[in-house]
Amino acid sequence: GGRPVRIIGVIQDITDRQRAEQSRSESEARFRELADLLPQMVFEVTPDLRITYANGQACTEFGLTEPELSAGVSILTFIDPSQHDRMLSTARKQLDQVPVEPQEYTAVRKDGSAFPVISHAAPIMKGVRFAGWRGVIFDITERKKVEEELRESRRFLQDIADHIPGVIFQFYARSNGEMGLSYLSGYSNEIFGVSADLPDAFERFLE
C-alpha cells in the first residue's frame, strides 16, 4: 500500500550547453588576459553600474582592491559627483540606441586626487538580455597639459602682437578661390579702422 512500483524520469543531454558555457568561459578568460596587457583602463559594470571587472591598469590607477570589486563598488564612486547626472543620461541614451560620442569626465582616485579621462563604453548584451556596460577609459592628463601650454603660448604671442606698433596679418587663399584673413593684430583697428571680428574684415583691409 502506497509503495512506488516504478519511477519515471527524463534524461537530457546537456553536452552542447556545457560546451557553450565552456567556450564562453574561455572567451572571457582570453578577453581578461588581453585587457590586463593594455595600458588603458578597461571595465565592466552591471546595469546599476556596479563594477564587476577592472583590468590591472584600472585597479592600479584608481586603487581598486579585490574585496571592493567583490563587493560591487559603483563606478560613480570614481567620477566627480557633479558629472553623475551626465553619465547616467549617457547610459540611458545608449540603451535607447541613441548614438553618443565618447564622454570626457573628471575621474577621482580613492585618495581624492582627480584627473581628466575620456570614456568609451557600449552595452553588454547576452542574447537579448542587457547585462551592463563594457568600456575603456583613457587618461588624458598629458593631452590637457599640452592643450593648456598651447593656449598659454597663443596668449603670449597675442599679447606681443597686440603691443607691436604696426599691423600683423595672415591671410589664406584656398584652391576654390576663397580668400580671407586668418589673423589680424589689434593695431589694425587703430591704423586702418578694421577689426578682425568684422565679417568683411578682409575686403575692408584690402581697401
Side-chain angles (χ1 to χ4, degrees):
R3 267 185 17 183
V5 295
R6 63 173 177 249
I7 298 174
I8 299 175
V10 176
I11 297 175
Q12 183 177 359
D13 184 352
I14 60 171
T15 303
D16 289 342
R17 189 179 74 185
Q18 287 183 330
R19 284 175 179 166
E21 290 174 351
Q22 181 179 353
S23 176
R24 185 171 63 249
S25 296
E26 290 173 353
S27 177
E28 289 177 354
R30 285 194 297 271
F31 161 73
R32 296 187 177 195
E33 287 172 4
L34 176 61
D36 275 330
L37 297 175
L38 296 176
Q40 290 81 29
M41 294 164 272
V42 181
F43 66 91
E44 289 182 350
V45 297
T46 60
D48 62 350
L49 301 181
R50 301 285 171 181
I51 301 173
T52 56
Y53 171 73
N55 72 339
Q57 182 64 22
C59 289
T60 299
E61 195 67 60
F62 290 109
L64 267 170
T65 63
E66 274 300 328
E68 288 171 326
L69 286 174
S70 300
V73 63
S74 173
I75 197 170
L76 294 175
T77 305
F78 303 100
I79 299 296
D80 187 289
S82 67
Q83 299 170 353
H84 287 183
D85 286 346
R86 179 161 60 86
M87 175 174 269
L88 293 171
S89 174
T90 300
R92 285 191 292 268
K93 287 178 182 178
Q94 286 185 310
L95 284 182
D96 292 337
Q97 298 184 333
V98 176
V100 295
E101 295 293 323
Q103 295 293 300
E104 185 173 324
Y105 298 107
T106 300
V108 182
R109 300 183 181 92
K110 270 175 39 175
D111 64 7
S113 59
F115 61 106
V117 299
I118 285 183
S119 174
H120 301 248
I124 301 172
M125 303 301 296
K126 293 186 176 180
V128 296
R129 182 174 65 86
F130 167 62
W133 281 271
R134 177 182 294 125
V136 182
I137 296 174
F138 294 83
D139 182 346
I140 57 172
T141 302
E142 290 305 315
R143 194 186 83 180
K144 288 290 186 181
K145 285 181 180 177
V146 171
E147 289 174 352
E148 180 55 34
E149 288 170 359
L150 286 173
R151 282 192 292 269
E152 185 61 34
S153 177
R154 290 193 187 102
R155 284 193 293 265
F156 176 70
L157 293 174
Q158 182 69 53
D159 188 59
I160 292 175
D162 285 345
H163 288 83
I164 291 177
V167 177
I168 300 174
F169 66 93
Q170 182 178 16
F171 75 94
Y172 60 86
R174 299 195 173 111
S175 57
N176 62 2
E178 180 186 352
M179 294 187 295
L181 286 168
S182 54
Y183 178 76
L184 193 59
S185 64
Y187 265 97
S188 64
N189 194 35
E190 183 177 328
I191 297 175
F192 296 112
V194 178
S195 177
D197 56 2
L198 292 174
D200 60 345
F202 182 61
E203 289 77 9
R204 295 181 64 177
F205 181 71
L206 292 180
E207 292 174 359

